[in-house]
Amino acid sequence: MSEHSDVTAGAPGSPVPVLSFGPLVLPAPGRAVDLEMRVSAPATGSGLPVILLSHGQGYSNHLSSLNGYAPLAHFWAARGFVVIQPTHLSSRTLSLDPATPGAPLFWRSRAEDMTRILDGLDLVEAAVPQLLGRLDRSRVAVAGHSMGGHTASLLLGARLTDPEDGTVVDLADSRITAGVLLAAPGRGGDALSASAATNLPFFLTTDFSGMTTPALVVAGDKDSSTHLTVAGPAWHADPYVLSPGRKSLLTLFDAEHGLGGISGYDVAETTDESPERVAAVQRLTWAYLRTELYPGDGAWQEAQDALAAGPAPLGRVESK
């Protein structure tokens, strides 16, 4: 069976059972604790592309960890991707001392986690016997929600100035060739709320002008995020508007920060719970990455056509 036909065994209409392995522990010298992650993969198929999935923050104790985002991780894995979810140092599950360097959000460490995983894929494969020899390391994407979207944007080429030492930080990883930013933070400067500018100064200098890697930006048109921005819901579209290169923007109608509930099943903190909206995010993100990593594949166009076909579309897509 050819590589192309093998991975398409996970098309949207034909999901396969998923294997989930975790916690897998990757030694991480110099990190506050070793790096724990979950790996989800289709039970069948080879030549499997990889998605690194970065969690957000939030009120729940476990969604911001390797145990969150099951609606996305399972959907993607059942349709041909290997999904790797690290527990970043910002996770409430770790309860690190607030004096730990990088606290509370560990913006730099988060991106470094992903690079560390890519550096350690041999160890990941060796630790998951059912995965050995099944990865296609030439096809790697990153996805992230909320603060995870910030992490993903840095890996895709966004930059910032470190408020501690004034250096311009570039954490882009050329092994990552596509991304999905879900309710990600936008520009800094006067777009930030006073509390964000004071307490999260790394947001002040966010610069998308170097974020050239292709990406899908997903934003809710009711996601005001007033604790972070005074710019309103349009702030979450900034990674699309302000970055160069090939980008697409999916604007979800009536969606708030949870985008219908992508961080977990039946999550109490979801303010806009909608199984239909979650399903749209699942299908469209999968289709985008499928086509971006396999040029010529029709999944992305088909998903856009399906979104626009209904009498009451859940959102709209624009591209540049």
Side-chain angles (χ1 to χ4, degrees):
M1 181 177 288
S2 70
E3 178 189 50
H4 186 78
S5 61
D6 201 15
V7 293
T8 55
S14 57
V16 300
V18 170
L19 302 172
S20 177
F21 186 93
L24 187 160
V25 181
L26 197 64
R31 195 176 184 266
V33 296
D34 284 339
L35 178 58
E36 292 191 345
M37 67 192 82
R38 176 180 302 280
V39 179
S40 302
T44 58
S46 61
L48 302 172
V50 176
I51 300 175
L52 305 176
L53 175 55
S54 180
H55 63 72
Q57 295 308 115
Y59 304 111
S60 297
N61 290 318
H62 293 278
L63 293 177
S64 296
S65 77
L66 60 81
N67 293 315
Y69 295 86
L72 295 181
H74 186 92
F75 186 93
W76 293 337
R79 291 156 180 84
F81 284 93
V82 173
V83 183
I84 303 178
Q85 299 173 255
T87 294
H88 297 303
L89 292 180
S90 58
S91 174
R92 294 168 71 98
T93 64
L94 298 178
S95 299
L96 294 180
D97 187 326
T100 303
L105 292 183
F106 298 93
W107 59 265
R108 184 192 292 268
S109 172
R110 283 170 145 269
E112 291 173 345
D113 287 345
M114 301 311 211
T115 295
R116 193 185 299 267
I117 290 170
L118 293 180
D119 291 343
L121 281 180
D122 285 344
L123 295 175
V124 173
E125 281 199 44
V128 186
Q130 302 92 334
L131 199 59
L132 193 61
R134 299 176 61 205
L135 297 183
D136 181 349
R137 302 187 189 195
S138 71
R139 292 184 169 98
V140 178
V142 65
H145 175 236
S146 192
M147 186 60 196
H150 182 267
T151 301
S153 72
L154 292 176
L155 291 160
L156 296 170
R159 299 184 179 94
L160 56 79
T161 300
D162 188 331
E164 296 294 322
D165 61 18
T167 59
V168 175
V169 179
D170 181 356
L171 295 171
D173 194 313
S174 61
R175 293 170 292 186
I176 297 170
T177 58
V180 172
L181 308 182
L182 300 149
R187 68 189 185 278
D190 60 6
L192 295 187
S193 67
S195 63
T198 300
N199 299 312
L200 305 170
F202 65 89
F203 275 142
L204 281 167
T205 53
T206 299
D207 177 8
F208 295 109
S209 65
M211 197 177 81
T212 57
T213 308
L216 170 64
V217 177
V218 182
D221 68 1
K222 296 293 194 299
D223 183 6
S224 56
S225 296
T226 54
H227 62 300
L228 293 177
T229 184
V230 296
W235 187 63
H236 293 288
D238 282 351
Y240 170 80
V241 175
L242 300 177
S243 67
R246 193 169 65 251
K247 299 291 189 300
S248 292
L249 173 65
L250 167 60
T251 302
L252 293 168
F253 303 148
D254 296 320
E256 299 176 18
H257 199 61
L259 304 179
I262 62 170
S263 64
Y265 298 114
D266 298 320
V267 172
E269 68 193 53
T270 299
T271 58
D272 65 332
E273 186 172 27
S274 167
E276 295 79 15
R277 186 173 298 131
V278 171
V281 174
Q282 290 171 327
R283 291 192 303 267
L284 285 152
T285 55
W286 176 90
Y288 176 83
L289 291 177
R290 175 69 204 180
T291 295
E292 196 58 53
L293 295 179
Y294 296 89
D297 189 286
W300 177 229
Q301 187 60 55
E302 292 168 10
Q304 293 180 77
D305 292 344
L307 178 69
L314 294 172
R316 68 174 180 272
V317 173
E318 54 194 284
S319 299
K320 63 179 185 178

Short mmCIF file of all heavy atoms in Angstrom, two decimals, residues 144-189:
data_model
loop_
_atom_site.label_atom_id
_atom_site.label_comp_id
_atom_site.label_asym_id
_atom_site.label_seq_id
_atom_site.Cartn_x
_atom_site.Cartn_y
_atom_site.Cartn_z
N GLY A 144 -2.46 24.99 18.97
CA GLY A 144 -2.57 25.43 20.35
C GLY A 144 -3.78 26.29 20.56
O GLY A 144 -4.21 27.02 19.66
N HIS A 145 -4.34 26.19 21.77
CA HIS A 145 -5.52 26.97 22.15
C HIS A 145 -5.15 28.01 23.19
O HIS A 145 -4.45 27.70 24.16
CB HIS A 145 -6.61 26.04 22.72
CG HIS A 145 -7.81 26.77 23.25
ND1 HIS A 145 -8.26 26.62 24.54
CD2 HIS A 145 -8.66 27.65 22.65
CE1 HIS A 145 -9.34 27.38 24.72
NE2 HIS A 145 -9.60 28.01 23.59
N SER A 146 -5.60 29.24 22.99
CA SER A 146 -5.40 30.31 23.95
C SER A 146 -3.90 30.52 24.19
O SER A 146 -3.17 30.81 23.25
CB SER A 146 -6.16 29.99 25.24
OG SER A 146 -6.22 31.10 26.10
N MET A 147 -3.42 30.36 25.42
CA MET A 147 -1.98 30.50 25.64
C MET A 147 -1.21 29.49 24.79
O MET A 147 -0.08 29.75 24.37
CB MET A 147 -1.66 30.31 27.13
CG MET A 147 -0.21 30.59 27.49
SD MET A 147 0.31 32.28 27.11
CE MET A 147 2.09 32.11 27.18
N GLY A 148 -1.81 28.34 24.52
CA GLY A 148 -1.20 27.38 23.61
C GLY A 148 -1.09 27.93 22.20
O GLY A 148 -0.18 27.57 21.45
N GLY A 149 -2.01 28.83 21.84
CA GLY A 149 -1.92 29.49 20.55
C GLY A 149 -0.73 30.44 20.49
O GLY A 149 -0.09 30.58 19.45
N HIS A 150 -0.44 31.07 21.61
CA HIS A 150 0.76 31.91 21.68
C HIS A 150 2.00 31.05 21.50
O HIS A 150 2.92 31.41 20.75
CB HIS A 150 0.79 32.63 23.03
CG HIS A 150 1.95 33.56 23.20
ND1 HIS A 150 3.13 33.17 23.79
CD2 HIS A 150 2.11 34.86 22.84
CE1 HIS A 150 3.97 34.20 23.81
NE2 HIS A 150 3.38 35.23 23.24
N THR A 151 2.03 29.91 22.18
CA THR A 151 3.15 28.98 22.03
C THR A 151 3.32 28.57 20.58
O THR A 151 4.43 28.59 20.03
CB THR A 151 2.91 27.74 22.91
OG1 THR A 151 2.78 28.14 24.28
CG2 THR A 151 4.04 26.74 22.78
N ALA A 152 2.21 28.19 19.94
CA ALA A 152 2.27 27.77 18.54
C ALA A 152 2.76 28.90 17.65
O ALA A 152 3.55 28.69 16.72
CB ALA A 152 0.91 27.27 18.09
N SER A 153 2.32 30.13 17.93
CA SER A 153 2.73 31.26 17.08
C SER A 153 4.23 31.48 17.15
O SER A 153 4.86 31.81 16.13
CB SER A 153 1.96 32.52 17.46
OG SER A 153 2.40 33.06 18.70
N LEU A 154 4.84 31.31 18.32
CA LEU A 154 6.29 31.46 18.44
C LEU A 154 7.01 30.41 17.61
O LEU A 154 8.02 30.69 16.96
CB LEU A 154 6.71 31.36 19.90
CG LEU A 154 6.27 32.50 20.83
CD1 LEU A 154 6.70 32.20 22.27
CD2 LEU A 154 6.84 33.83 20.38
N LEU A 155 6.50 29.20 17.62
CA LEU A 155 7.12 28.12 16.85
C LEU A 155 6.95 28.34 15.35
O LEU A 155 7.75 27.85 14.54
CB LEU A 155 6.53 26.78 17.26
CG LEU A 155 6.91 26.34 18.68
CD1 LEU A 155 5.93 25.30 19.20
CD2 LEU A 155 8.33 25.80 18.73
N LEU A 156 5.92 29.09 14.97
CA LEU A 156 5.66 29.38 13.56
C LEU A 156 6.39 30.63 13.07
O LEU A 156 6.33 30.94 11.88
CB LEU A 156 4.16 29.54 13.33
CG LEU A 156 3.30 28.30 13.60
CD1 LEU A 156 1.81 28.66 13.57
CD2 LEU A 156 3.59 27.19 12.59
N GLY A 157 7.05 31.36 13.98
CA GLY A 157 7.84 32.49 13.56
C GLY A 157 7.53 33.83 14.19
O GLY A 157 8.22 34.82 13.91
N ALA A 158 6.49 33.90 15.03
CA ALA A 158 6.23 35.16 15.75
C ALA A 158 7.39 35.42 16.72
O ALA A 158 8.04 34.49 17.19
CB ALA A 158 4.91 35.08 16.50
N ARG A 159 7.62 36.68 17.01
CA ARG A 159 8.71 37.05 17.91
C ARG A 159 8.20 37.98 19.00
O ARG A 159 7.12 38.55 18.90
CB ARG A 159 9.84 37.74 17.13
CG ARG A 159 10.48 36.86 16.06
CD ARG A 159 11.65 37.58 15.41
NE ARG A 159 12.31 36.75 14.39
CZ ARG A 159 12.03 36.77 13.11
NH1 ARG A 159 11.07 37.56 12.67
NH2 ARG A 159 12.66 35.99 12.25
N LEU A 160 9.02 38.14 20.03
CA LEU A 160 8.74 39.10 21.08
C LEU A 160 10.06 39.54 21.70
O LEU A 160 11.11 38.92 21.46
CB LEU A 160 7.79 38.53 22.14
CG LEU A 160 8.18 37.23 22.87
CD1 LEU A 160 9.21 37.46 23.98
CD2 LEU A 160 6.94 36.58 23.47
N THR A 161 10.00 40.59 22.48
CA THR A 161 11.17 41.06 23.21
C THR A 161 11.06 40.59 24.65
O THR A 161 10.05 40.85 25.32
CB THR A 161 11.28 42.59 23.16
OG1 THR A 161 11.39 43.00 21.79
CG2 THR A 161 12.49 43.07 23.94
N ASP A 162 12.06 39.87 25.11
CA ASP A 162 12.06 39.35 26.48
C ASP A 162 12.07 40.52 27.46
O ASP A 162 13.02 41.32 27.46
CB ASP A 162 13.29 38.48 26.69
CG ASP A 162 13.26 37.73 28.02
OD1 ASP A 162 12.64 38.24 28.98
OD2 ASP A 162 13.87 36.64 28.10
N PRO A 163 11.03 40.67 28.28
CA PRO A 163 10.99 41.81 29.20
C PRO A 163 12.07 41.75 30.28
O PRO A 163 12.35 42.77 30.92
CB PRO A 163 9.59 41.72 29.82
CG PRO A 163 9.17 40.30 29.64
CD PRO A 163 9.82 39.83 28.38
N GLU A 164 12.68 40.59 30.45
CA GLU A 164 13.71 40.45 31.48
C GLU A 164 15.05 41.04 31.02
O GLU A 164 15.77 41.66 31.80
CB GLU A 164 13.91 38.98 31.85
CG GLU A 164 12.69 38.34 32.49
CD GLU A 164 12.38 38.93 33.85
OE1 GLU A 164 13.33 39.25 34.58
OE2 GLU A 164 11.19 39.09 34.17
N ASP A 165 15.41 40.82 29.76
CA ASP A 165 16.74 41.25 29.32
C ASP A 165 16.74 42.08 28.03
O ASP A 165 17.80 42.50 27.56
CB ASP A 165 17.66 40.05 29.15
CG ASP A 165 17.17 39.05 28.10
OD1 ASP A 165 16.31 39.41 27.27
OD2 ASP A 165 17.65 37.90 28.11
N GLY A 166 15.55 42.30 27.45
CA GLY A 166 15.45 43.16 26.28
C GLY A 166 15.88 42.54 24.97
O GLY A 166 15.96 43.24 23.95
N THR A 167 16.15 41.24 24.96
CA THR A 167 16.56 40.58 23.71
C THR A 167 15.34 40.17 22.89
O THR A 167 14.29 39.85 23.44
CB THR A 167 17.40 39.33 24.00
OG1 THR A 167 16.63 38.41 24.79
CG2 THR A 167 18.67 39.68 24.74
N VAL A 168 15.50 40.20 21.57
CA VAL A 168 14.44 39.73 20.68
C VAL A 168 14.52 38.21 20.62
O VAL A 168 15.58 37.63 20.36
CB VAL A 168 14.59 40.33 19.28
CG1 VAL A 168 13.55 39.74 18.33
CG2 VAL A 168 14.45 41.85 19.34
N VAL A 169 13.40 37.56 20.88
CA VAL A 169 13.36 36.11 21.00
C VAL A 169 12.78 35.50 19.73
O VAL A 169 11.67 35.87 19.31
CB VAL A 169 12.52 35.68 22.22
CG1 VAL A 169 12.46 34.16 22.32
CG2 VAL A 169 13.12 36.27 23.50
N ASP A 170 13.50 34.56 19.15
CA ASP A 170 13.05 33.84 17.96
C ASP A 170 13.12 32.35 18.28
O ASP A 170 14.20 31.78 18.40
CB ASP A 170 13.94 34.17 16.77
CG ASP A 170 13.51 33.48 15.49
OD1 ASP A 170 12.56 32.67 15.54
OD2 ASP A 170 14.12 33.74 14.43
N LEU A 171 11.96 31.72 18.45
CA LEU A 171 11.88 30.31 18.81
C LEU A 171 11.29 29.47 17.68
O LEU A 171 10.86 28.34 17.91
CB LEU A 171 11.03 30.14 20.08
CG LEU A 171 11.63 30.79 21.35
CD1 LEU A 171 10.61 30.77 22.49
CD2 LEU A 171 12.90 30.09 21.76
N ALA A 172 11.30 30.00 16.46
CA ALA A 172 10.74 29.27 15.32
C ALA A 172 11.48 27.96 15.12
O ALA A 172 12.70 27.88 15.31
CB ALA A 172 10.81 30.13 14.07
N ASP A 173 10.74 26.93 14.72
CA ASP A 173 11.32 25.62 14.45
C ASP A 173 10.98 25.24 13.01
O ASP A 173 9.81 25.04 12.69
CB ASP A 173 10.78 24.58 15.43
CG ASP A 173 11.58 23.29 15.42
OD1 ASP A 173 11.87 22.78 14.32
OD2 ASP A 173 11.90 22.77 16.50
N SER A 174 12.01 25.14 12.17
CA SER A 174 11.78 24.90 10.74
C SER A 174 11.22 23.52 10.45
O SER A 174 10.74 23.26 9.34
CB SER A 174 13.09 25.11 9.97
OG SER A 174 14.08 24.19 10.41
N ARG A 175 11.27 22.61 11.43
CA ARG A 175 10.69 21.28 11.23
C ARG A 175 9.17 21.32 11.23
O ARG A 175 8.51 20.39 10.77
CB ARG A 175 11.20 20.32 12.31
CG ARG A 175 12.70 20.03 12.22
CD ARG A 175 13.20 19.29 13.43
NE ARG A 175 13.16 20.11 14.64
CZ ARG A 175 13.65 19.74 15.82
NH1 ARG A 175 14.22 18.55 15.95
NH2 ARG A 175 13.58 20.55 16.88
N ILE A 176 8.61 22.39 11.76
CA ILE A 176 7.16 22.58 11.81
C ILE A 176 6.75 23.36 10.57
O ILE A 176 7.18 24.50 10.37
CB ILE A 176 6.75 23.32 13.08
CG1 ILE A 176 7.11 22.49 14.32
CG2 ILE A 176 5.26 23.64 13.07
CD1 ILE A 176 6.97 23.24 15.64
N THR A 177 5.91 22.77 9.74
CA THR A 177 5.59 23.39 8.45
C THR A 177 4.14 23.84 8.31
O THR A 177 3.73 24.32 7.25
CB THR A 177 5.93 22.42 7.30
OG1 THR A 177 5.21 21.20 7.47
CG2 THR A 177 7.43 22.12 7.28
N ALA A 178 3.36 23.71 9.38
CA ALA A 178 1.97 24.18 9.36
C ALA A 178 1.51 24.35 10.79
O ALA A 178 2.04 23.74 11.72
CB ALA A 178 1.06 23.19 8.62
N GLY A 179 0.48 25.20 10.98
CA GLY A 179 -0.02 25.41 12.33
C GLY A 179 -1.50 25.73 12.37
O GLY A 179 -2.09 26.14 11.36
N VAL A 180 -2.07 25.56 13.56
CA VAL A 180 -3.45 25.95 13.83
C VAL A 180 -3.44 26.73 15.14
O VAL A 180 -3.02 26.22 16.18
CB VAL A 180 -4.38 24.73 13.95
CG1 VAL A 180 -5.76 25.17 14.44
CG2 VAL A 180 -4.51 24.01 12.61
N LEU A 181 -3.90 27.99 15.07
CA LEU A 181 -3.97 28.85 16.25
C LEU A 181 -5.43 29.02 16.63
O LEU A 181 -6.22 29.59 15.88
CB LEU A 181 -3.34 30.22 15.95
CG LEU A 181 -1.93 30.22 15.36
CD1 LEU A 181 -1.44 31.65 15.17
CD2 LEU A 181 -0.98 29.45 16.26
N LEU A 182 -5.80 28.54 17.81
CA LEU A 182 -7.18 28.51 18.27
C LEU A 182 -7.38 29.55 19.38
O LEU A 182 -6.81 29.40 20.47
CB LEU A 182 -7.53 27.12 18.79
CG LEU A 182 -7.40 25.98 17.76
CD1 LEU A 182 -7.01 24.68 18.44
CD2 LEU A 182 -8.71 25.80 16.99
N ALA A 183 -8.15 30.59 19.11
CA ALA A 183 -8.38 31.65 20.10
C ALA A 183 -7.06 32.15 20.67
O ALA A 183 -6.90 32.34 21.87
CB ALA A 183 -9.30 31.15 21.22
N ALA A 184 -6.10 32.37 19.79
CA ALA A 184 -4.76 32.77 20.20
C ALA A 184 -4.69 34.25 20.52
O ALA A 184 -5.48 35.05 19.99
CB ALA A 184 -3.76 32.43 19.09
N PRO A 185 -3.74 34.67 21.36
CA PRO A 185 -3.57 36.09 21.64
C PRO A 185 -3.14 36.86 20.40
O PRO A 185 -2.46 36.33 19.51
CB PRO A 185 -2.45 36.10 22.69
CG PRO A 185 -2.47 34.73 23.30
CD PRO A 185 -2.87 33.82 22.18
N GLY A 186 -3.52 38.14 20.38
CA GLY A 186 -3.17 39.00 19.28
C GLY A 186 -2.01 39.93 19.61
O GLY A 186 -1.13 39.59 20.41
N ARG A 187 -2.04 41.12 19.02
CA ARG A 187 -0.92 42.06 19.13
C ARG A 187 -0.82 42.62 20.55
O ARG A 187 -1.74 42.53 21.35
CB ARG A 187 -1.10 43.19 18.14
CG ARG A 187 -2.28 44.12 18.42
CD ARG A 187 -2.53 45.09 17.28
NE ARG A 187 -3.56 46.06 17.59
CZ ARG A 187 -4.87 45.85 17.50
NH1 ARG A 187 -5.31 44.65 17.12
NH2 ARG A 187 -5.74 46.80 17.78
N GLY A 188 0.33 43.23 20.82
CA GLY A 188 0.55 43.83 22.13
C GLY A 188 0.28 45.32 22.11
O GLY A 188 -0.70 45.79 21.51
N GLY A 189 1.15 46.08 22.76
CA GLY A 189 1.00 47.53 22.79
C GLY A 189 -0.31 47.98 23.39
O GLY A 189 -0.75 47.44 24.41
#
